[in-house]
């Protein structure tokens, strides 16, 4: 039997955000807020919950992998022939929260997906910060 390792790439975006992890967690896990910064969805922060994200261009099939309230959230992100995992990590800091988003699983033959995610997540996180600024 031959084991062939498939090298994959990740998109990582990190930001210092001047809000506590609890506030950011709300925006990452409440469907009406997710819709404001990411896409329409039927998300529930429950391990193994299957949900969909949808936009004008199509959709993403997802399944929740990890839920550690106010700390870590991960879910699969499958669309067309891309199978990846998105992981959010929240770390409280003296000024708010260090937010880290990592999407793993981009194969070397998936450059368009990788480039799209690199640009897309920057926009999504800017929109997330806009939503956070409006939350009480």
């Amino acid at each position: 039997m031959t084991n062939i390792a498939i090298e994959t790439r990740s998109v990582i975006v990190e930001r210092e955000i001047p809000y506590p992890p609890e506030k950011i967690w709300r925006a990452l896990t409440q469907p009406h807020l997710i819709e404001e910064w990411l896409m329409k969805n039927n998300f529930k922060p429950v391990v193994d919950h299957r949900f969909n994200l949808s936009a004008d261009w199509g959709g993403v099939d997802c399944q929740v992998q990890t839920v550690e309230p106010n700390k870590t959230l991960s879910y699969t992100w499958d669309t067309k022939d891309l199978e990846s995992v998105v992981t959010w990590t929240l770390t409280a800091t003296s000024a708010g929260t260090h937010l880290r988003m990592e999407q793993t699983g981009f194969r070397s033959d998936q450059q368009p997906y990788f480039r799209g995610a690199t640009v897309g997540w920057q926009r999504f996180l800017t929109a997330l910060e806009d939503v956070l600024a409006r939350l009480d």
Side-chain angles (χ1 to χ4, degrees):
M1 178 176 233
T2 304
N3 286 334
I4 299 172
I6 296 174
E7 186 175 327
T8 61
R9 297 176 72 187
S10 298
V11 172
I12 299 170
V13 180
E14 297 183 87
R15 294 196 180 177
E16 295 295 326
I17 299 181
Y19 303 109
E22 297 79 11
K23 185 173 188 175
I24 298 168
W25 185 258
R26 283 175 46 207
L28 293 177
T29 59
Q30 293 182 3
H32 69 284
L33 297 176
I34 296 168
E35 183 174 347
E36 287 187 47
W37 66 269
L38 186 59
M39 290 180 240
K40 293 177 184 173
N41 66 93
N42 58 336
F43 179 83
K44 290 181 188 171
V46 176
V47 172
D48 292 330
H49 173 68
R50 292 182 183 277
F51 66 100
N52 302 97
L53 298 167
S54 62
D56 294 341
W57 53 264
V60 182
D61 296 318
C62 305
Q63 183 173 7
V64 178
Q65 303 289 300
T66 306
V67 177
E68 293 179 60
N70 306 315
K71 293 182 181 177
T72 307
L73 174 67
S74 70
Y75 43 83
T76 60
W77 179 284
D78 300 341
T79 183
K80 298 182 177 71
D81 63 339
L82 172 66
E83 294 180 1
S84 62
V85 175
V86 172
T87 302
W88 300 92
T89 306
L90 307 175
T91 306
T93 65
S94 59
T97 303
H98 178 85
L99 173 68
R100 183 177 196 273
M101 186 291 310
E102 180 175 10
Q103 184 174 10
T104 60
F106 295 94
R107 296 187 320 261
S108 60
D109 64 337
Q110 296 179 313
Q111 280 301 104
Y113 288 131
F114 182 78
R115 284 192 303 274
T118 300
V119 172
W121 282 114
Q122 292 289 344
R123 284 196 313 252
F124 288 141
L125 265 68
T126 297
L128 171 63
E129 289 188 71
D130 292 344
V131 168
L132 290 167
R134 292 192 306 269
L135 287 179
D136 53 14

